[in-house]
Amino acid sequence: RTKAEGRNGFRFFDVSMQRLAQSRWQLEEGLHQAIHRGELELWFQPQVTKEGVMSGAEVLLRWRHPTRGLISPLEFISVAEESGQIAAIEEWVLDETMRLIKHWDSMGLPETFRHVSINISPSHFMQSGFVSQVEGALERHTVANVNIELEITENLLIENFEQAIKTMKALQAKGIAFSIDDFGTGYSSLRYLSQLPLNVLKIDRSFVAPIDHESDETPIIDVIMLMAKKLGLEVIAEGVETQAQRTLLTERGCRLYQGYFFSKPLHHEEFYTLLKQERVLLPT
Ligand code: C2E
Ligand code: MG
Ligand code: MG
Ligand code: MG
């Protein structure tokens, strides 16, 4: 290896790192304006019973960037967390979600549609003003028949157990439900889980994806189903994409599903149109 190659190699690395830092910085700057310019959008993905009836939905944030088009939350949520903008963004998500539900309710909602779940970032959840923020949104737009569920992650719970349980109990008293997102990928212990006011475990997509026609061995799913049963929790399987996955999960006792097999996330207007049709969401 010559000296020049080494230098080139190094320079290449340097330039790509610089580009990465620059694009992160641009995202961070753009996010400051995104709320005020109305660039954030709420999309909803149906959650269905095994009969394909929509019993609820998960809110998924999208950013319609003026030049880059639709940006995935996988790209900008971590930027918002690191730059301290996540609380302001999710405050908008909370308020806008509840406002939309109230609006839908005034135009008519199917009786079978009972809950909407909202992702909450750990750093936001742990902020001292979080409880009153949620209470504020609830006071502004309450809908009697639709429950709000907050999705949190396992690691948040162990890192700040005392604070987390206080926050959860205060919000539970206001009618908020809690689910653990991406369940099985974190580090929560049975002891923690049994002490928290939880309602739902969401089986992470990584445990659903390997299910196929060949094998019916699903040790992790079996353990999660058993745990949920013992703890009195509901289970939702995430990322269900095929009939084989749905069938096997049903055999294992799963009652609620979310995934492309039933529906992809939809822009809120398109989602409401689908919801109003009261269709059974099963591909034929
Ligand atoms: P998540 O909460 O686990 O949401 C499920 C993700 O899986 C969504 O990706 C959804 O579009 C995708 N998905 C659903 N069904 C399927 C399927 O059958 N196959 C596959 N391959 N994917 C499926 P999305 O919308 O890109 O969101 C990614 C993550 O971004 C979410 O994962 C959530 O952790 C985060 N996120 C979204 N909105 C918010 C928010 O308002 N706040 C926070 N903190 N995080 C958010
Ligand atoms: Mg989620
Ligand atoms: Mg998540
Ligand atoms: Mg998830």
Side-chain angles (χ1 to χ4, degrees):
R1 178 183 277 267
T2 68
K3 211 174 162 192
E5 272 174 337
R7 269 227 305 270
N8 275 339
F10 181 73
R11 257 181 39 211
F12 172 74
F13 175 74
D14 207 28
V15 167
S16 68
M17 288 299 281
Q18 207 177 322
R19 282 212 189 101
L20 197 68
Q22 198 178 7
S23 78
R24 268 189 95 80
W25 183 82
Q26 281 166 351
L27 281 181
E28 189 179 324
E29 284 302 298
L31 269 176
H32 279 297
Q33 304 301 322
I35 298 182
H36 311 291
R37 290 184 180 150
E39 294 168 5
L40 298 180
E41 293 179 1
L42 298 185
W43 287 50
F44 288 74
Q45 186 176 31
Q47 295 176 340
V48 306
T49 66
K50 64 175 186 289
E51 293 84 18
V53 173
M54 204 199 302
S55 60
E58 176 176 8
V59 187
L60 294 161
L61 190 57
R62 303 283 183 264
W63 178 12
R64 194 168 297 274
H65 191 277
T67 55
R68 292 187 43 195
L70 210 56
I71 304 182
S72 156
L74 295 173
E75 204 176 328
F76 68 83
I77 291 290
S78 63
V79 175
E81 283 170 339
E82 281 160 32
S83 65
Q85 302 180 77
I86 191 70
I89 290 172
E90 287 183 346
E91 183 170 17
W92 179 84
V93 173
L94 281 162
D95 201 75
E96 186 65 8
T97 300
M98 295 189 208
R99 192 189 65 75
L100 266 178
I101 298 170
K102 193 171 186 178
H103 175 59
W104 293 340
D105 189 53
S106 72
M107 299 191 297
L109 274 177
E111 273 176 21
T112 44
F113 185 75
R114 302 311 298 268
H115 76 271
V116 169
S117 59
I118 303 175
N119 292 283
I120 300 293
S121 161
S123 60
H124 182 204
F125 189 84
M126 286 304 154
Q127 286 183 12
S128 56
F130 182 69
V131 171
S132 53
Q133 212 181 80
V134 178
E135 284 171 352
L138 282 170
E139 276 158 24
R140 281 188 290 279
H141 343 268
T142 289
V143 170
N145 296 323
V146 181
N147 287 320
I148 299 295
E149 182 181 295
L150 301 182
E151 296 194 3
I152 52 183
T153 50
E154 292 166 84
N155 296 351
L156 160 121
L157 302 172
I158 11 173
E159 282 159 24
N160 314 274
F161 188 72
E162 296 305 324
Q163 174 71 24
I165 199 163
K166 251 175 78 182
T167 301
M168 290 172 78
K169 285 187 168 161
L171 289 173
Q172 186 192 40
K174 302 284 173 180
I176 298 284
F178 291 95
S179 60
I180 299 204
D181 201 359
D182 310 329
F183 187 71
T185 63
Y187 307 101
S188 56
S189 73
L190 273 169
R191 185 153 55 96
Y192 285 145
L193 289 177
S194 65
Q195 288 175 41
L196 293 165
L198 286 173
N199 307 77
V200 181
L201 300 181
K202 299 193 76 177
I203 301 181
D204 190 63
R205 178 157 61 89
S206 61
F207 305 120
V208 173
I211 301 175
D212 57 32
H213 302 274
E214 314 306 321
S215 152
D216 59 0
E217 293 287 304
T218 54
I220 296 175
I221 289 173
D222 298 350
V223 168
I224 294 175
M225 294 307 301
L226 186 66
M227 275 177 61
K229 195 173 173 187
K230 295 284 178 200
L231 294 169
L233 303 175
E234 190 67 76
V235 172
I236 299 186
E238 292 194 271
V240 180
E241 292 185 354
T242 68
Q243 178 64 57
Q245 291 166 354
R246 169 180 169 247
T247 306
L248 193 131
L249 286 158
T250 305
E251 283 168 15
R252 297 292 187 272
C254 187
R255 302 193 319 131
L256 294 171
Y257 308 82
Q258 183 179 342
Y260 297 169
F261 183 69
F262 304 96
S263 171
K264 292 202 166 184
L266 302 169
H267 182 273
H268 64 80
E269 285 170 8
E270 207 185 330
F271 173 79
Y272 181 68
T273 304
L274 178 74
L275 182 59
K276 279 290 275 180
Q277 290 169 355
E278 297 194 45
R279 277 197 356 238
V280 164
L281 297 178
L282 286 180
T284 42

